[in-house]
Amino acid sequence: MEEMMKQEAERFETETQVLQEMLNENKNQLKEMREQVRSTKIWDRFLLCNGTPDPTVQSELNTFTSLSIDETKNSTSQDVSACLDDVEQALDLINELEEVMTLDKQLEISEGHDKFKEGIESLQGLIETKVDNVTFNVMKTAEKFADPDSLNLLIEKESPRVKFSLWGNLAKNPRQKSFKLGTDDFQMEIPKSLANADVAVRLIHTSFDFLSPKCKSFFAQKKKTPAPSRAASVAPQQNEDNKEEKPTTPAGEETAIENIDKVSENNDNLKEGQEKRPNTPSDADEIEDEDIVDLRAMSTVGGVMYLDLLKLPPQAKKVGNWVIQDITESELERIPNPTPEDEKEETEETKEGEENGGEAAITQLTKELTWPLLNMSFTVASNAVFTEEPQLARWEDSQQCWRTDGFEDVNFDETNGTISFKSQFIGPICTFQDTYNNMPFQSWEIRPYGQGCVIFTLIAASVELEISIKENACCLNSPEDMELDGIRNKWLPAHILMQKLVAAGINVFPSEDADKYVSISVKDEELESSVYEQMALASSAFAFSWSRWNADCGEKRQIVRAAENLTTHPVDEDMWKNYSCEPRKSYVLKCTDDDDEMFDEKVEGTQFHPDIFHCLKEGASSEAVDVLTNTSYTFVDNVSTWLFATKVLTFS
């Protein structure tokens, strides 16, 4: 007996060592590849001569931004299209910096990242300067851009990531009660106090969000005990420096987005034994004002709409052969929103202005202009997926947060995708959606699909995703009934596809504090990470799936279904077997998901193993073993990226 126990211990030790050597070899190869990619990118950037600076070289970027800002301030250009081209160039430089930081984090390099974040902030400032300057230049001679029908200023331009619209009240037609822009079909009421005033309305719709990272609740609070997991989190790109930044994820994890979290009342599809999801805000964030959006619970969908009420500069007048224009104003002037005191205590000057054709209202522009609640409406982005009524929020710059108050009579027409509301607020507006409306997941499966490819299926509360995963790219195959034409059937790197899914409103990537918002069965993080790594190692020859017994088997145990599959067809139901995984012991369970109750018995004739990988190899065919032996480390890494990002063992 002692001899048998000794042999068993030696076998366990050998199998543990073999698995660790395989994982280490893959990680070393992956690190070497990433270092080579990093070196190649640096060299290619050095050789690139396209007139843009290397954003990773601080002196080059500082020179570029300083000269560009000085040139912009002195520019009289009215070419909005050229301005948007410059904006796209600055956005490309921001993305380049973010990609460098992502690759560096995978290599556990943090040197220079503070400077990179400062560079991102300076580029964001450059974008604002350029857009404001061209807006002001256009408004100085607004009559050149007047619409022939309404005789009001009207410009509408767009680039891949920015839509620009500008309306100016040149005609001062008291009969005009509202105006409409092509951008998002935005429509706004014109009250009496504005109808006769020298004002303009600018709408800029961006597909990116520079505001949310400024919020206190955007970043997860640090945990007292760091998790040993290498689990990935998916979220909008970080653009701002923050002392509460998430810890760097270890090498070997292909993640490029950090997740925002959401709270939702999605309790319809919960399985037995699960409690309803808590709907309280994050304890760590301590959000006391219920009107402040908790960005650990909600996330933006469809980009940000920057709405500004601007003072229209004095227009040029032709007197004989002379053109006379007042040039006392040298920069764009925003008209602030009225305060509650202004609304309650309407001055005699304003009343008089409405009666006398708005002369007092014009004078008020240099002081403070007031207006009542305005009817507004717009159409949400066509590529945004809303599984519930979107939450409208406005940006409060003084508090650096999004707020849901200040809106009345909000209505969402799901058929047309139109949101109508009343508000006195004019400023940045955004639509939010619960981050966790798709969690917990109902089921999942990952199965081989030919050589070097797997199909990952994830059935969530309101969406069913099917993703093809290869060595260096992924492709969204379904759903086909949603507006995802810009994402579906396109091969993309894993982190890019994840970003696009989140931006479109499909978030299936729980973040590190997701357990505050989703009812889950707590699992040992180290064990969970180990199982993900082994599943990725075996995924080229074995299919894996959700087991109904996993949620109730305990914290120190994972139960997953698996079956050998060397075809492109789905696994037959009778081929699935349940595998029990514990920190130092794995084995094939006799019980299946079809049984009425779970019973903890090992299949006769099988052995205990230290890990699920060797459990699978024990019953594998020689063809399957050959496939496992020849599996690429990049393929293994790409599969593990999706497993770590979705955390299917815990959130199903």
Side-chain angles (χ1 to χ4, degrees):
M1 177 66 69
E2 291 183 2
E3 183 64 24
M4 289 180 61
M5 292 179 63
K6 182 180 179 181
Q7 291 178 357
E8 188 77 355
E10 289 177 352
R11 181 175 63 83
F12 263 57
E13 186 65 30
T14 300
E15 290 181 352
T16 301
Q17 186 175 355
V18 169
L19 176 63
Q20 196 59 48
E21 287 177 354
M22 290 179 64
L23 292 174
N24 289 339
E25 183 181 0
N26 280 353
K27 290 179 180 179
N28 290 336
Q29 288 180 311
L30 195 62
K31 183 178 180 181
E32 184 178 340
M33 180 202 72
R34 286 173 174 162
E35 288 175 344
Q36 182 61 42
V37 169
R38 186 174 185 270
S39 299
T40 302
K41 283 183 176 292
I42 293 173
W43 180 246
D44 290 344
R45 196 53 174 93
F46 177 75
L47 296 178
L48 186 63
C49 299
N50 63 351
T52 61
D54 183 349
T56 62
V57 179
Q58 188 181 13
S59 58
E60 286 191 31
L61 187 59
N62 288 346
T63 301
F64 172 77
T65 53
S66 298
L67 292 177
S68 296
I69 289 175
D70 291 341
E71 180 184 352
T72 300
K73 289 181 178 179
N74 296 322
S75 172
T76 59
S77 172
Q78 297 176 323
D79 190 342
V80 177
S81 296
C83 173
L84 295 183
D85 289 341
D86 292 341
V87 169
E88 291 291 334
Q89 183 187 71
L91 291 173
D92 288 340
L93 293 175
I94 290 174
N95 288 343
E96 190 174 342
L97 281 172
E98 290 174 339
E99 288 177 5
V100 169
M101 288 193 290
T102 297
L103 186 57
D104 282 357
K105 286 180 180 179
Q106 293 169 346
L107 295 170
E108 298 182 344
I109 298 173
S110 59
E111 183 181 356
H113 284 200
D114 289 341
K115 298 297 182 183
F116 293 167
K117 292 171 185 176
E118 290 176 6
I120 289 174
E121 290 178 359
S122 66
L123 287 167
Q124 291 175 356
L126 175 61
I127 290 173
E128 183 178 0
T129 300
K130 283 185 172 293
V131 175
D132 283 354
N133 182 75
V134 75
T135 302
F136 184 66
N137 289 340
V138 167
M139 291 197 305
K140 284 194 294 186
T141 56
E143 293 180 355
K144 290 170 53 178
F145 305 94
D147 178 63
D149 296 327
S150 66
L151 302 180
N152 286 319
L153 165 65
L154 183 62
I155 290 183
E156 294 180 306
K157 302 287 183 180
E158 66 177 89
S159 64
R161 287 169 283 191
V162 181
K163 296 178 181 178
F164 178 100
S165 292
L166 181 63
W167 176 89
N169 188 24
L170 295 177
K172 297 185 177 67
N173 183 358
R175 296 181 180 179
Q176 185 173 0
K177 303 301 181 183
S178 65
F179 68 90
K180 187 174 183 179
L181 301 175
T183 300
D184 304 317
D185 293 326
F186 178 81
Q187 188 165 345
M188 175 176 157
E189 179 187 4
I190 305 175
K192 289 182 179 180
S193 56
L194 299 182
N196 296 297
D198 290 318
V199 295
V201 176
R202 183 181 66 178
L203 175 63
I204 299 175
H205 189 172
T206 65
S207 60
F208 48 87
D209 178 9
F210 287 158
L211 297 178
S212 292
K214 298 179 181 180
C215 300
K216 178 183 177 181
S217 65
F218 182 78
F219 298 94
Q221 300 292 319
K222 289 183 178 179
K223 294 183 179 180
K224 293 182 179 179
T225 304
S229 169
R230 52 162 273 177
S233 291
V234 179
Q237 299 176 1
Q238 177 178 334
N239 295 314
E240 300 291 333
D241 197 0
N242 191 292
K243 293 182 180 179
E244 295 179 346
E245 186 179 354
K246 295 181 184 179
T248 303
T249 51
E253 176 178 341
E254 181 92 50
T255 178
I257 13 184
E258 298 171 326
N259 206 0
I260 322 173
D261 310 308
K262 319 164 189 168
V263 175
S264 119
E265 295 275 324
N266 178 33
N267 297 307
D268 296 330
N269 297 305
L270 297 180
K271 296 179 278 294
E272 287 185 19
Q274 291 181 328
E275 298 179 358
K276 288 190 175 184
R277 181 183 314 171
N279 56 6
T280 56
S282 168
D283 297 334
D285 292 335
E286 298 180 352
I287 297 178
E288 297 179 358
D289 191 336
E290 62 180 12
D291 291 325
I292 294 179
V293 177
D294 179 8
L295 294 182
R296 302 307 307 157
M298 307 287 286
S299 59
T300 61
V301 178
V304 177
M305 297 172 62
Y306 296 83
L307 185 64
D308 290 298
L309 183 63
L310 309 171
K311 180 181 177 182
L312 197 62
Q315 298 300 298
K317 296 180 180 179
K318 191 171 182 180
V319 180
N321 294 327
W322 293 86
V323 176
I324 303 175
Q325 184 174 20
D326 185 350
I327 56 172
T328 55
E329 298 173 10
S330 59
E331 61 182 16
L332 196 70
E333 183 177 343
R334 290 174 173 83
I335 300 173
N337 287 296
T339 61
E341 290 75 16
D342 294 327
E343 184 180 359
K344 293 177 183 178
E345 302 175 8
E346 191 174 24
T347 64
E348 291 297 326
E349 185 179 5
T350 305
K351 292 180 180 178
E352 216 174 290
E354 292 181 358
E355 295 171 0
N356 300 328
E359 292 179 4
I362 298 174
T363 305
Q364 283 281 84
L365 285 170
T366 59
K367 300 177 182 178
E368 196 162 351
L369 184 64
T370 64
W371 54 87
L373 290 171
L374 306 178
N375 287 304
M376 303 186 213
S377 66
F378 65 90
T379 303
V380 298
S382 59
N383 60 347
V385 176
F386 289 97
T387 56
E388 57 189 23
E389 185 171 327
Q391 175 69 63
L392 200 60
R394 61 182 181 85
W395 177 254
E396 181 56 59
D397 197 56
S398 62
Q399 296 178 307
Q400 296 286 279
C401 67
W402 292 101
R403 298 185 61 89
T404 58
D405 58 347
F407 301 100
E408 295 185 12
D409 299 337
V410 179
N411 180 59
F412 177 58
D413 186 340
E414 188 175 354
T415 304
N416 301 320
T418 302
I419 297 179
S420 59
F421 58 96
K422 290 182 179 180
S423 179
Q424 198 178 29
F425 172 82
I426 297 180
I429 296 174
C430 195
T431 49
F432 283 83
Q433 185 171 234
D434 173 18
T435 303
Y436 294 112
N437 58 358
N438 275 308
M439 301 180 205
F441 309 131
Q442 297 179 18
S443 180
W444 62 271
E445 179 183 297
I446 187 166
R447 62 182 176 87
Y449 191 75
Q451 186 174 1
C453 181
V454 298
I455 298 292
F456 179 38
T457 303
L458 185 62
I459 301 177
S462 57
V463 67
E464 180 176 340
L465 298 179
E466 182 182 281
I467 299 165
S468 297
I469 306 174
K470 292 186 177 180
E471 283 193 26
N472 297 309
C474 311
C475 178
L476 177 68
N477 303 327
S478 66
E480 297 182 354
D481 58 344
M482 294 183 176
E483 295 292 338
L484 296 169
D485 294 338
I487 308 175
R488 192 171 39 241
N489 299 326
K490 292 185 177 181
W491 289 94
L492 300 166
H495 68 278
I496 298 297
L497 180 54
M498 291 178 185
Q499 285 179 353
K500 288 183 177 293
L501 284 172
V502 171
I506 300 178
N507 195 330
V508 291
F509 311 105
S511 67
E512 58 187 290
D513 58 351
D515 55 339
K516 294 186 178 74
Y517 306 98
V518 184
S519 179
I520 61 173
S521 298
V522 178
K523 296 288 185 178
D524 180 80
E525 294 184 8
E526 190 172 357
L527 173 62
E528 182 183 7
S529 298
S530 177
V531 174
Y532 289 148
E533 289 177 330
Q534 295 168 51
M535 287 169 58
L537 273 178
S539 61
S540 57
F542 287 86
F544 297 91
S545 178
W546 167 83
S547 171
R548 61 180 292 202
W549 306 120
N550 185 51
D552 302 320
C553 66
E555 181 178 351
K556 294 288 186 179
R557 190 181 189 186
Q558 297 278 7
I559 296 179
V560 60
R561 294 202 302 169
E564 181 179 320
N565 186 16
L566 300 179
T567 71
T568 58
H569 304 295
V571 178
D572 292 336
E573 193 60 33
D574 58 353
M575 297 296 293
W576 290 108
K577 296 179 182 178
N578 277 326
Y579 288 78
S580 174
C581 308
E582 299 173 31
R584 286 287 296 167
K585 181 176 69 175
S586 296
Y587 54 97
V588 188
L589 280 170
K590 191 173 183 180
C591 115
T592 68
D593 276 23
D594 294 329
D595 293 320
D596 295 331
E597 295 182 359
M598 177 185 169
F599 49 94
D600 192 5
E601 292 184 21
K602 180 174 67 71
V603 172
E604 296 178 2
T606 61
Q607 295 180 311
F608 289 105
H609 294 274
D611 51 71
I612 187 176
F613 182 76
H614 282 93
C615 267
L616 295 169
K617 286 190 69 175
E618 179 188 353
S621 64
S622 58
E623 293 84 354
V625 173
D626 289 341
V627 171
L628 295 179
T629 304
N630 296 316
T631 300
S632 165
Y633 68 92
T634 53
F635 171 78
V636 172
D637 176 69
N638 218 14
V639 173
S640 67
T641 295
W642 284 94
L643 294 175
F644 276 100
T646 53
K647 300 181 183 178
V648 289
L649 291 177
T650 301
F651 285 83
S652 297

